[in-house]
Structure formats: C-alpha cells, structure tokens
Amino acid sequence: MSATPTIADIARIAGVGTATVDRVLNRRPGVNAETVQRVMQVVEEVGAPQQPGRPRKGANARFAFVLPADESPFVDLVERQIAQAAGDFRHAHITEITHRIETTDPVRFAEELAQVGDCEGIALMAPDLPPIKRAINELVRAGVHVVTLFSDVAGSMRETCIGADNRAAGRTAGLLLGRMACGARRDTLLLSSQATRLSSEIERRIGFAQAVEERFPTLKLQRTPDLPADNDGACEALLQTLRGDIDPARVAGIYNVGSGSAGVARALGESGLLPQAGAIAHDFTDEHGSLLSANALSYVLHQDIHYCVLTAARVLRALCENVRGALNVVQPRIEILTAENLH
C-alpha cells in the first residue's frame, strides 16, 4: 500500500467496493450501518485518503493513460506520442503514467483498470464491453475523472471522448472509394477489419456502409471474414477470400478499418489488383508512409494524435480544477493523406 492510502486501498482492506467507500466518506445514503462501521475502522487504522479528482494546490496532477496491450502499430504510435509529450506534461504540472492492458479477457481488463484508481484522472482506450463500462463507472463514483481516447465507451459515466469522428471517417472512405469505382467495370468494394469490440472500428464500418449505400447504390459492398491483426496473417486470410467467393476482376477497392493494412496491400499486389483497385487504411505510421509512396495504398486517413494526447491531459486537468467549460473540446479533423502530400 502507498504511503498515503487510497480509496482502492481502503476498499480492499474493508472487503467492499470503491463506490461503497466513496459513499461512506462523503456521508451519502445507501450503505448499512455495519459496513459504515467497518469502513470507518479501516480509515482510523490506515488514515484517510486524499480525495481524488482534486490535486493539492501547487502539486502535480497524476494522470494515467490506459491503452490496449494488443500488437497494434496505432497503439504503439499513441504510446510514443505520450512519451514525447513529457515536456508539455511537466510544464502543465502533470505526472503521467502509461498502462498497457490485454483486451482478450474483458473481465480481467476491467479488474486491472480498477487498480489504476490511484490517480486524479484516466485517459482510456478500451473495448466497449459491459465489464469495462462497470469499471469506468466505479472509478467515476470514487472521484476519478475518466475520458475516453480515440475509441468511446458509450453508456459509461466517462466525461467525454477525445478523438476524430469515426463514423465520419468511414463515410469519407466510402466516398473516396466509391468515386474511384464510378464508371468502371469493377463494381465491388471490400470492407475488412479484425474481430474487435473497439467502438472506433465499429463506427468506421457503419459509416462506410452508409456512404456506399446512399451515394453509390450500383456498387456492391462485401465484408470479408475478420482478418488477423498481424500483416502476415491478414495477407494470407485475404488471399484465401480473394480465391474463394470474390471475383478479383470486379473488386474496385478495399477499406481496412484496423490493423494489418500492410498485409492487405500485399495480398492485393499478389492477386494482381494493384494499381487498379484502391486501398484505404488508417493512421500515418512509417509503414503506411512507405506504402503510400509505393502506390500500394491510395489514401491513409489520419488524425492528430499528439493533439489528442495533450487535449486529454488538458481536459482532465481542467476537470480536476473545476474549470468552467472543461469539456468544450475542439475535436481533430480527419486528414486525407496521399503519396503527394506526405511532407
């Protein structure tokens, strides 16, 4: 246990939830007398916690960035941007810590997220699943400010989401690929992604399908089976799909909403679809920059990650200090990168 006990410490010792401890400390109803006595006895023994959500005047605010531990070039890029923002954080009197948590087991993810409660605020990128929503709600009830980053967890008590409009990003991809296909014999657009519960990728799929259906009714949209996240696996899975029910001669383009875009581009090349078929991916990584330059990707949709990281910290700081209008955030625009505007 830390030198200054936290609500999570007291909850663990008393054998109750953090929300129960918060109710007892703030004298809110809904807790039976026996539990109140047990919690107050622990507080008497170990000391009262500093209330989260309000850093001491003149002290650094302690914020956590919680990201998936999955193999993902985008999440790796986010982690690098957080590290590169260290100077900005110091200037704003913010102490930052980054956690990577495996997403394969949502219950385990929620349990580990609950252990991050020893801070004033959390910027979170996580799957949109019930156990994680409950963990967010427990943290907020305990006084920890939570904002979601890049991918929302709708229906939770998080205070805002920082990141580009993912449904608009999907619609943008549909518009670009649809225009590339117009007038051509190729009339099939492919939509590929991984098996994911990140709402960002789900929203992109929805937006893409909406735009194609509304603007290009003569085109056919076909969803590929879920692709592995790694490039080799994505390449092999897409090649199998292209050798199966899909006629490559009719493919006008593919939109990959998540990871494995280098593998997708490789599969298109091995199937003889490049450069006839367009390909769109997300996030300007070094790998995607090379693929754009080689015309293996037509477009990369990107958002200002550095801005989002700093904005998340700024919003958390403002929430801790009860700044009026703390949630008035200008969200980043979707950038359309091509081989011609990389520099």
Side-chain angles (χ1 to χ4, degrees):
M1 189 175 67
S2 58
T4 302
T6 66
I7 287 179
D9 293 330
I10 294 171
R12 184 175 63 255
I13 297 170
V16 298
T18 54
T20 300
V21 175
D22 181 64
R23 291 189 188 99
V24 172
L25 294 177
N26 289 284
R27 296 183 174 85
R28 291 200 295 269
V31 185
N32 64 53
E34 182 182 348
T35 302
V36 171
Q37 183 178 0
R38 187 162 72 251
V39 170
M40 293 310 297
Q41 182 177 350
V42 173
V43 170
E44 185 176 348
E45 292 173 356
V46 304
Q50 178 191 338
Q51 287 292 332
R54 283 175 176 261
R56 295 183 302 274
K57 187 174 182 181
N60 275 19
R62 180 179 171 86
F63 298 149
F65 285 83
V66 179
L67 308 173
D70 315 35
E71 288 293 329
S72 165
F74 173 68
V75 180
D76 292 344
L77 181 59
V78 172
E79 186 172 17
R80 288 198 300 273
Q81 290 292 334
I82 293 170
Q84 291 170 11
D88 298 281
F89 291 148
R90 284 195 298 271
H91 182 73
H93 301 288
I94 291 170
T95 299
E96 167 274 326
I97 185 169
T98 302
H99 295 272
R100 298 283 293 265
I101 303 177
E102 292 287 346
T103 61
T104 50
D105 183 349
V107 174
R108 181 62 181 164
F109 188 104
E111 291 172 351
E112 293 193 34
L113 176 60
Q115 299 304 313
V116 186
D118 186 16
C119 57
E120 285 81 41
I122 296 174
L124 172 68
M125 181 180 176
D128 185 1
L129 293 168
I132 296 170
K133 291 181 184 180
R134 288 194 292 270
I136 292 172
N137 294 347
E138 285 290 304
L139 286 166
V140 173
R141 291 189 187 105
V144 180
H145 294 291
V146 179
V147 301
T148 49
L149 188 61
F150 303 116
S151 186
D152 202 7
V153 183
S156 70
M157 294 171 66
R158 63 91 179 118
E159 287 160 283
T160 192
C161 180
I162 311 295
D165 184 331
N166 285 293
R167 190 167 297 199
R171 292 185 66 92
T172 300
L175 177 64
L176 292 171
L177 284 184
R179 285 179 173 173
M180 292 176 70
C182 278
R185 185 175 66 86
R186 298 176 179 270
D187 61 357
T188 300
L189 297 180
L190 302 182
L191 173 60
S192 65
S193 69
Q194 289 72 48
T196 179
R197 294 307 302 170
L198 286 173
S199 67
S200 57
E201 298 186 8
I202 295 170
E203 288 293 311
R204 290 170 188 174
R205 293 199 298 253
I206 293 172
F208 182 76
Q210 286 176 336
V212 173
E213 180 182 349
E214 294 166 9
R215 290 176 172 266
F216 309 101
T218 61
L219 295 179
K220 300 173 184 176
L221 174 59
Q222 185 159 347
R223 174 91 185 270
T224 71
D226 291 330
L227 302 181
D230 65 288
N231 289 326
D232 291 340
C235 176
E236 183 57 34
L238 184 56
L239 283 173
Q240 290 181 7
T241 299
L242 292 172
R243 293 166 185 154
D245 298 332
I246 296 174
D247 179 5
R250 304 197 72 89
V251 174
I254 185 168
Y255 173 43
N256 186 50
V257 306
S259 301
S261 294
V264 168
R266 193 195 315 159
L268 295 178
E270 292 183 16
S271 300
L273 289 174
L274 296 178
Q276 294 89 348
I280 297 180
H282 277 270
D283 313 317
F284 184 54
T285 62
D286 292 340
E287 187 174 52
H288 285 172
S290 299
L291 291 170
L292 277 174
S293 298
N295 293 319
L297 287 176
S298 306
Y299 304 102
V300 168
L301 304 182
H302 186 66
Q303 58 185 307
D304 190 335
I305 298 172
H306 187 71
Y307 169 82
C308 291
V309 166
L310 292 180
T311 298
R314 178 178 60 79
V315 168
L316 288 173
R317 182 84 203 195
L319 287 168
C320 288
E321 296 174 350
N322 286 330
V323 175
R324 186 176 180 181
L327 300 180
N328 293 336
V329 178
V330 177
Q331 300 289 16
R333 290 184 177 274
I334 301 160
E335 301 176 70
I336 303 174
L337 301 180
T338 72
E340 306 301 329
N341 68 346
L342 294 182
H343 303 291

